[in-house]
């Protein structure tokens, strides 16, 4: 599906030509029909000789309605510039072409209209030469110029053929899997309710889907979809779409809102944009001035912050960070137009490099300027790497969306960068990389691994008797989302950089070491335990005797088995007690607490504490007042 937009000076015959081509009157407002002048956007569709239908957006040509024209131009894939043969290039011809040029609309055709009013063939030739000369300094140099008359029908078949050829060479719109519909019209239909229209971009929409209207984050559901008055179950990128919404009233929606799937886009109040001042304009873009910024069908006041020079002169480009008065929905690569609020004049346009800057940039920062240039680079590898550098770690598919690449491009670029060691694959499919693969920026990965290794080294120096640092503590020190931090630790363990004990982490090869005094203290505690191994002293006494660090080592190293907060058995005693209980249960089938007490020759306090501990491990299973063997107690090994 494709969209063609009209452009040109007022009264040069744009709407009349649309009526002749399509049989549809795009002037839908009563005032437009009475004044015979387009005021707001009009819509129609055209069936090409191939049978393909394209949408048409008809825009007003009067200078007072340029802002209405800007609400439609964002969806253009090509423009039909209409220039009256009897008048030639006029002021709004120039401004409209400047806007199309700044927006980088891919294609343009010129309809030299009203040739029935031209004074002979020589006049027609002069008019065509004037248009060609005018376009020579724009991106549309060499565009086809077709003389037509809506009154006599002359040239209409040739124009239709040129339109078909233009769109026949155009690729389909990109499908990034995250649809957005910039709303250009809102109305209510009896029996249906709220209907919004726009040109669909970046992904498909389907009936029944839950959607969100930004920037207000209002929720709705798609009740129905139409393209060119034909109902359908889904709509594809590039099509003109009417969406019937349930769960939201007409009063809650306005032109400039954007319909998306929840979680795919976020409004922004700040954006980094490469601005190009209109070459033929008379005004520069100044620092700290208020301008109107137009994107999609939305507009807002915005204050400029020039990041390089103090002024961007006509024909020059420069980086600007804009603070927006009203949040907008922007993506990398989006085009914008800048106008002065009063008097209303077009000053320039731009390309969004970063729709969500992390901070307010310092002016003249060479690093920021370099990063922004890489972000807006046309080389998908540069764009992908810059997005990865900013994110640090992400899934390949998600990075592709942020970079404005389709899925196949994203996977191809990721594999190329992985092969050249410009990114690190963490998890998911690694050979070959796929959309779900998690990849990390090389420099950020190095920073994170060095941070983890440094934290573990510090911990080992401060607490040399501990097996390792608690995992939760390591995670809290990393400036990284928990899901990615855990993947990082897993990758470091797999590469042998650290030992992973589940709840604790240690440097590879780390072993707690005792000095002579600590070894002697442990020997004395063991002697004290051996005097009554099945009824040891309280662990409070143990901590007092050994000190907190040595006491922690005693349990961490497996020399002692902690069954309650205050009961720690020596390892040998614990194994013997568990063995006796399992043997008796195997022979008898069940035991009471009193019987276990007798088997161990210990008090009920210790017997009950041990049994509850074994219940938690699954070695034993409580059955009323009895204990039976649990699933973990069926084997021959001791717990």
């Amino acid at each position: 599906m494709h969209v063609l937009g009209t452009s040109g000076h007022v009264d040069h015959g744009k709407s009349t030509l649309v009526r002749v081509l399509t049989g549809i009157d795009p002037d839908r407002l009563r005032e437009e029909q009475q004044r015979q002048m387009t005021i707001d956007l009009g819509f129609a569709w055209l069936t090409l000789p191939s049978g393909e239908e394209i949408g048409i957006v008809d825009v007003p040509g009067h200078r007072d309605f340029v802002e209405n024209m800007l609400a439609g131009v964002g969806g253009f894939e090509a423009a039909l510039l209409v220039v009256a043969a009897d008048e030639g290039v006029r002021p709004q011809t120039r401004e409209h072409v400047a806007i199309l040029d700044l927006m980088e609309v891919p294609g343009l055709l010129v309809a030299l209209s009203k040739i029935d009013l031209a004074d002979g063939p020589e006049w027609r030739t002069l008019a065509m030469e004037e248009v060609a000369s005018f376009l020579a300094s724009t991106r549309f140099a060499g565009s086809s110029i077709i003389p037509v008359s809506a009154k006599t029908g002359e040239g209409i078949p040739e124009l239709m053929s040129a339109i078909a050829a233009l769109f026949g060479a155009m690729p389909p719109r990109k499908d990034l899997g995250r649809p957005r519909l910039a709303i250009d019209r809102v109305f209510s239909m009896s029996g249906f309710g709220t209907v919004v229209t726009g040109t669909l971009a970046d992904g498909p929409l389907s009936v029944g889907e839950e959607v969100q209207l930004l920037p207000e984050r209002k929720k709705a559901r798609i009740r129905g979809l139409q393209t060119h008055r034909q109902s359908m179950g889904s709509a594809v990128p590039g099509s003109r779409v009417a969406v019937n919404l349930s769960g939201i009233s007409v009063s809650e929606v306005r032109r400039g809102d954007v319909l998306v799937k929840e979680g795919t886009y976020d409004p922004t109040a700040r954006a980094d944009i490469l601005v190009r001042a209109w070459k033929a304009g008379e005004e520069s873009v100044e620092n700290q001035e208020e301008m109107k910024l137009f994107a999609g069908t939305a507009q807002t006041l915005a204050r400029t912050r020039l990041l390089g020079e103090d002024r961007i002169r006509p024909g020059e480009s420069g980086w600007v960070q804009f603070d927006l008065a009203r949040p907008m929905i922007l993506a990398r690569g989006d085009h914008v137009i800048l106008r002065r609020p009063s008097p209303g004049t077009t000053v320039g346009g731009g390309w969004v490099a970063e729709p969500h800057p992390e901070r307010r940039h310092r002016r003249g920062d060479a690093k920021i300027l370099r990063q922004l240039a890489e972000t807006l680079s046309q080389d998908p590898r540069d764009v992908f790497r810059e997005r990865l550098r900013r994110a640090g770690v992400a899934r390949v598919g998600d990075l592709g969306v942020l970079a404005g690449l389709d899925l196949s491009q994203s996977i191809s670029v990721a594999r190329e960068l992985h092969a050249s060691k410009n990114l690190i694959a963490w998890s998911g499919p690694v050979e070959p990389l796929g959309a779900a693969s998690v990849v990390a920026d090389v420099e950020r990965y190095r920073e994170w691994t060095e941070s983890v290794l440094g934290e573990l080294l510090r911990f080992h120096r401060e607490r040399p008797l501990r097996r390792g640092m608690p995992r939760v503590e390591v995670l809290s020190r990393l400036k990284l989302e928990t899901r990615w931090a855990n993947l990082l630790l897993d990758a470091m363990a797999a590469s042998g950089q650290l030992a992973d004990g589940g709840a604790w982490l240690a440097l590879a090869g780390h072993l707690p070491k005792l000095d002579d005094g600590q070894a002697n203290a442990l020997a004395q505690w063991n002697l004290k335990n051996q005097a009554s191994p099945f009824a040891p002293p309280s662990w409070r006494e143990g901590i007092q005797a050994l000190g907190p660090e040595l006491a922690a080592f005693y349990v961490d190293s497996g020399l002692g088995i902690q069954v309650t907060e205050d009961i720690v058995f020596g390892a040998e005693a614990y194994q013997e007690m568990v063995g006796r209980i399992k043997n008796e249960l195997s022979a008898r089938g069940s035991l009471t607490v009193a019987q276990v007490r007798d088997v161990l020759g210990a008090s009920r306090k210790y017997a009950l504490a041990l049994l509850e501990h074994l219940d938690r491990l699954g070695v034993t299973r409580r059955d009323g007042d009895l204990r039976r063997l649990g699933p973990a107690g069926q084997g021959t090994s001791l717990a």
Side-chain angles (χ1 to χ4, degrees), residues 17 53 78 101 153 260 278 322 366 429 439 488 507 590 599 601 605 619:
L17 199 53
E53 288 186 343
D101 195 351
V260 303
W278 181 12
F322 287 91
V439 294
L488 171 69
L507 292 175
S590 64
V599 167
K605 166 187 171 182
V619 175

Side-chain angles (χ1 to χ4, degrees), residues 565-579:
E565 184 178 349
D566 202 39
I567 298 176
V568 176
F569 295 108
E572 290 185 7
Y574 174 83
Q575 295 289 356
E576 183 177 346
M577 296 164 74
V578 174

Side-chain angles (χ1 to χ4, degrees), residues 370-387:
R370 185 177 64 254
Q371 288 177 350
L372 290 172
E374 288 179 0
T375 298
L376 206 56
S377 165
Q378 296 303 305
D379 188 330
R381 291 168 299 183
D382 290 342
V383 179
F384 192 93
R385 286 189 66 184
E386 176 57 28
R387 286 295 164 181

Side-chain angles (χ1 to χ4, degrees), residues 123-241:
W123 185 270
R124 179 188 303 188
T125 301
L126 287 172
M128 293 176 68
E129 289 175 352
E130 181 196 19
V131 174
S133 174
F134 161 61
L135 293 178
S137 61
T138 74
R139 66 184 290 109
F140 307 116
S143 295
S144 297
I145 305 173
I146 297 115
V148 297
S149 169
K151 183 176 181 180
T152 68
E154 182 182 352
I156 297 300
E158 290 79 5
L159 179 59
M160 181 75 81
S161 296
I163 293 172
L166 179 64
F167 284 106
M170 280 190 180
R173 287 280 187 103
K174 286 192 297 186
D175 184 350
L176 303 181
R178 41 193 324 235
R180 54 175 171 159
L181 186 78
I183 295 171
D184 51 35
R185 189 179 173 209
V186 185
F187 57 95
S188 179
M189 285 186 66
S190 177
F192 292 90
T194 303
V195 177
V196 300
T197 70
T199 301
L200 184 58
D202 295 346
L205 287 174
S206 297
V207 172
E209 288 183 325
E210 299 293 329
V211 291
Q212 192 177 47
L213 285 142
L214 300 178
E216 301 298 330
R217 299 187 185 279
K218 295 171 182 174
K219 295 183 180 181
R221 187 178 63 82
I222 298 178
R223 184 179 178 186
L225 291 168
Q226 282 192 2
T227 291
H228 307 156
R229 296 183 183 170
Q230 295 295 314
S231 296
M232 56 187 59
S234 62
V236 298
S239 55
R240 286 289 310 170
V241 185

